[in-house]
Amino acid sequence: ANQRLPVLLCHGKNDEVVPFSEGQRAATLLRQSLETVTFKEFEMKHGIASDELFDVMDFVDKKMAQTPEEPLAFDPAKLTPSPPPQPPPSAPLADTPPSDKGVPTLDP
């Protein structure tokens, strides 16, 4: 697991489906393994509130704008800078005239 992976956990205080205490417990368990766990509570039942969604979007925006200090062990979003990949060597082009067959045009 990537211990530096930031996590945002949101939970409604009045959730009738998943008790609020379970959200708190999940945050406590995650903090045992991860460096950055943010737990946000909302005055709502089970669902998604607009203020919660804004907080999630803000969290993601801030994290995506950061460049990791060290390469991440798991980096599917390619957040860690790396040299650009080298293009494969191209095959020499044949001396055939270009064809426009099958190429759409905007001409009326």
Side-chain angles (χ1 to χ4, degrees):
N2 195 330
Q3 294 177 335
R4 293 181 292 124
L5 181 68
V7 172
L8 172 63
L9 184 61
C10 301
H11 205 99
K13 288 183 179 180
N14 305 313
D15 191 330
E16 70 281 356
V17 177
V18 179
F20 182 72
S21 60
E22 289 301 305
Q24 292 173 311
R25 188 170 79 92
T28 300
L29 290 172
L30 286 170
R31 286 183 179 121
Q32 293 174 7
S33 302
L34 302 173
E35 293 176 11
T36 308
V37 176
T38 303
F39 180 74
K40 297 199 88 167
E41 52 191 62
F42 294 88
E43 293 293 337
M44 57 183 257
K45 293 184 176 184
H46 189 80
I48 298 173
S50 58
D51 54 342
E52 177 187 17
L53 189 55
F54 285 126
D55 286 350
V56 170
M57 291 170 58
D58 184 55
F59 178 85
V60 171
D61 284 344
K62 286 179 180 174
K63 299 307 173 194
M64 293 300 288
Q66 295 176 348
T67 301
E69 294 175 16
E70 300 174 24
L72 298 172
F74 177 68
D75 190 12
K78 306 295 183 220
L79 298 175
T80 304
S82 60
Q86 297 298 318
S90 59
L93 297 175
D95 290 333
T96 57
S99 168
D100 62 353
K101 184 177 180 182
V103 178
T105 65
L106 297 176
D107 295 332

